[in-house]
Every structure is written in structure tokens, then in C-alpha cells.
Amino acid sequence: QVQLVESGGGLVQAGGSLRLSCAASGRISSSIVMGWYRQAPGKQRELVADITSGGSADYADSVKGRFLISRDNAKATVTVLMNSLKSEDTAVYYCNFRGFQWSGNYLDAWGQGTLVTVSS
């Protein structure tokens, strides 16, 4: 089993910055990709950013130039630094893990979600 512990959500003013972190633990063999998704009220869950074990990152068009994702393979953590936050960034943010357990089984795991509220 893989556990994902998220931290960093909360209330922030428009134009401010916030950092979200996710730490994976448990019976992990390897991680193919880790990232962050978000879901706003009445909307579908969407990719914010993700990053492969080799360091290749993808971003949603709406966050390019404002958000920066990074990972520490040794610590099995992924972090997204969110700058110049806008009210439309308000959503529940979910950490995602895709990789393999020690058993060899593929796992697509999700954190419980952390709320980010941007006030204006």
C-alpha cells in the first residue's frame, strides 16, 4: 500500500504564493510520474502539473509561468510552488502517484485532497 500525505493548503490573497507538498510512503518500488490535479466546484478534475522520475514536467496552460513543480526521488516527494495566485485557482488539490509497488503491481494512487482558497 502507498500512502500520500499532502500539506500546504489554505487561504491566500490574490497575487500571493503557496507551496503544496506531497510525500509518498509505503511499499514503493518505483514512481513513473507524480503530480497535482485540482477540482473546482462544479468542474471536472484537471491536471495542474506533473513530473516524471527523470524530471520532465508538464503544466496546464492556465498555470504556465506561474507554477513550478519539482520532486525529490530520494524522499519520494513532489512539490508545486504556486505564484501569482488568482481567484480561479481556488479548488481542492489532489496529489497523484503512478508507479509500482514492491509486489510488481501498477498503482494509481490519490491523496485525500487539500483545499486552496484564493481571496480577492
Side-chain angles (χ1 to χ4, degrees), residues 90-107:
T90 296
V92 177
Y93 286 69
Y94 298 89
C95 179
N96 175 246
F97 171 98
R98 280 169 281 164
F100 293 91
Q101 302 176 158
W102 289 352
S103 65
N105 291 332
Y106 175 77
L107 179 66

Side-chain angles (χ1 to χ4, degrees), residues 33-116:
V33 60
M34 294 185 69
W36 288 93
Y37 290 68
R38 68 186 181 188
Q39 187 168 19
K43 301 292 185 179
Q44 297 288 324
R45 186 175 299 186
E46 65 176 359
L47 172 71
V48 177
D50 61 19
I51 184 168
T52 69
S53 61
S56 296
D58 286 320
Y59 297 89
D61 288 341
S62 60
V63 308
K64 287 181 179 177
R66 299 190 297 123
F67 292 9
L68 180 64
I69 192 167
S70 61
R71 67 183 290 165
D72 186 330
N73 291 330
K75 296 181 179 180
T77 60
V78 61
T79 299
V80 59
L81 175 60
M82 305 184 293
N83 296 312
S84 302
L85 284 163
K86 307 173 181 178
S87 60
E88 52 262 44
D89 294 318
T90 296
V92 177
Y93 286 69
Y94 298 89
C95 179
N96 175 246
F97 171 98
R98 280 169 281 164
F100 293 91
Q101 302 176 158
W102 289 352
S103 65
N105 291 332
Y106 175 77
L107 179 66
D108 187 348
W110 295 90
Q112 81 283 357
T114 184
L115 177 64
V116 172

